[in-house]
Amino acid sequence: MSDGALPGIARGVLLAAGLLREGRLTPAMLRGADAVFALNSLCAREVVAIDGHELPRQPACLARLVTYLDG
């Protein structure tokens, strides 16, 4: 949370379910990730590229996140 994440509902739900972990990320780490998601209490979106670098798509992962958020 020291890097700017807010203690929101979506964050709490996903942390409790073990679907989210917090930590400091660098652009290189994000570019090398299996999947990257941006979320808030209203929606979750899959990040498809970072600085022009395409990221792998993980629709099943996104569906799982949404299921927990809709809980």
Side-chain angles (χ1 to χ4, degrees):
M1 297 234 326
S2 65
D3 287 331
L6 298 175
I9 294 168
R11 180 188 152 275
V13 168
L14 296 176
L15 279 170
L19 296 173
L20 178 72
R21 63 186 171 107
E22 294 181 313
R24 181 169 285 192
L25 299 171
T26 65
M29 291 168 71
L30 292 171
R31 285 190 297 271
D34 293 331
V36 176
F37 303 97
L39 61 103
N40 61 31
S41 293
L42 301 176
C43 67
R45 299 277 190 240
E46 195 166 15
V47 178
V48 298
I50 295 176
D51 293 334
H53 175 81
E54 270 190 53
L55 298 173
R57 303 294 300 263
Q58 298 290 342
C61 241
L62 180 59
R64 189 170 174 203
L65 290 174
V66 170
T67 296
Y68 271 93
L69 293 175
D70 286 345

